[in-house]
Amino acid sequence: METEGISEQSDRTDEIVRLESVRKSYRSGTDSVLALGGVTIGCPRGSVTAIIGPSGSGKSTLLQCAAGLDRPTSGTVTLDGEELNGLDETALTRLHRDRVGFIFQTFNLLPALDVEENVTLPLTLAGRSADPSLLVDVIRRVGLAEHMRHRPFELSPGQRQRVAIARALVTRHAVIFADEPTGALDARDTDEVLGLLQETVRETGQTVVMASHDPLVASYADRVAFLSAGRIVDELNFPVDRAVIQRMTHLGVWDRPPGPERGVAG
Ligand code: ADP
Ligand code: MG
């Protein structure tokens, strides 16, 4: 067995996201870059999973493969009961529209639309309309009730990311993937945004899988996988204590060179 997942001990039937021995290499000219070297991981329904690792460790690749935005070179991905290898583009598009939400570092808001229009955009594109009481509830929850008619340029970075979160919440998507969701935020906004995600998962049963280079982000998660050079080198289950994470940062767990078999040398 080449890899070890963070969910070996858990009940796999309750995993809404599962990657099994996922490898991904990219061609660049005649070379190929190994971005994921065989990752096995499972994310339980209704939990927050954090993928933590330095720049270039494969976090975005992992999320893209898990979300079906990119196809692994080998291995399998199961998302909300669907094995992604077996899905054609139409089925994948439908899966993304109906069951998967995304939050990005750069917010991905449309500048011409106001807060409410940005939040409901995925529903509008799918030809649906938001449940009005859910919309009000979500907008209030993210603290933007006073800003419904504001456009993104009138908001702070933290408020913009809360619009993106509201957009992922209002569709009631089963899984929300967040790639460096706090990468453009200061410490206070980071705290607010991650607290909000965590609270939402508790209340709605949605699942969040987020990636960050910042180990402190792990303290908002139920499960943490540490990624180094395309491999999971460590894992934590909860509750995760900030002090432990800080200690691990100082120990430089993800600075170790990958070993021949697994990510951890020695
Ligand atoms: P992270 O998100 O942790 O910074 P990435 O998943 O973006 O890491 O990248 C992992 C590795 O794969 C890096 O070495 C990166 O240069 C490489 N990589 C990512 N995307 C591509 C691509 N489209 N083409 C070639 N190499 C890529
Ligand atoms: Mg990345």
Side-chain angles (χ1 to χ4, degrees):
M1 190 66 181
E2 186 187 34
T3 55
E4 203 167 89
I6 86 179
S7 56
E8 296 294 310
Q9 326 87 317
S10 70
D11 175 6
R12 289 188 186 169
T13 58
D14 199 35
E15 290 171 352
I16 189 165
V17 181
R18 179 151 189 96
L19 280 72
E20 197 80 52
S21 306
V22 167
R23 293 172 70 87
K24 175 72 185 179
S25 49
Y26 293 106
R27 290 225 165 279
S28 95
T30 51
D31 295 342
S32 96
V33 179
L34 186 67
L36 292 178
V39 166
T40 296
I41 184 174
C43 308
R45 199 176 282 274
S47 68
V48 179
T49 298
I51 312 293
I52 306 289
S55 175
S57 59
K59 304 180 298 295
S60 294
T61 304
L62 195 162
L63 287 196
Q64 301 260 325
C65 288
L69 293 174
D70 203 348
R71 292 193 188 262
T73 307
S74 65
T76 59
V77 178
T78 311
L79 181 54
D80 201 12
E82 310 271 5
E83 209 199 290
L84 300 187
N85 279 345
L87 301 185
D88 61 16
E89 291 306 318
T90 312
L92 267 180
T93 303
R94 195 176 305 125
L95 181 76
H96 290 149
R97 190 191 62 200
D98 298 338
R99 287 190 261 167
V100 183
F102 298 94
I103 297 170
F104 300 94
Q105 175 171 348
T106 49
F107 320 129
N108 284 27
L109 304 179
L110 291 188
L113 303 185
D114 69 20
V115 166
E116 180 178 340
E117 290 163 338
N118 265 291
V119 168
T120 55
L121 184 64
L123 292 168
T124 310
L125 291 176
R128 291 155 56 197
S129 54
D131 169 346
S133 65
L134 176 62
L135 179 64
V136 167
D137 177 59
V138 163
I139 300 255
R140 193 186 304 123
R141 187 194 294 270
V142 300
L144 292 172
E146 320 279 279
H147 302 279
M148 291 279 262
R149 297 289 157 247
H150 288 170
R151 293 202 281 151
F153 74 89
E154 299 172 283
L155 304 174
S156 71
Q159 288 172 327
R160 283 180 224 168
Q161 194 60 305
R162 285 189 266 138
V163 175
I165 290 176
R167 188 175 52 190
L169 298 183
V170 82
T171 37
R172 282 277 192 255
H173 282 136
V175 190
I176 299 167
F177 291 98
D179 195 355
E180 303 277 3
T182 58
L185 306 183
D186 63 21
R188 208 197 54 181
D189 283 339
T190 293
D191 191 59
E192 255 180 47
V193 159
L194 294 177
L196 190 63
L197 273 179
Q198 195 179 38
E199 184 190 300
T200 302
V201 162
R202 300 280 173 270
E203 285 174 23
T204 66
Q206 285 169 286
T207 304
V208 170
V209 185
M210 60 183 177
S212 179
H213 67 278
D214 176 3
L216 284 182
V217 165
S219 63
Y220 296 88
D222 303 306
R223 315 192 122 208
V224 186
F226 293 94
L227 202 62
S228 173
R231 290 162 197 271
I232 291 172
V233 294
D234 221 331
E235 62 191 78
L236 287 172
N237 290 308
F238 313 95
V240 178
D241 176 11
R242 261 170 197 263
V244 172
I245 295 161
Q246 261 157 345
R247 213 174 121 241
M248 294 183 75
T249 318
H250 291 137
L251 290 173
V253 274
W254 47 73
D255 293 337
R256 286 184 234 153
E261 288 300 318
R262 302 242 315 270
V264 185

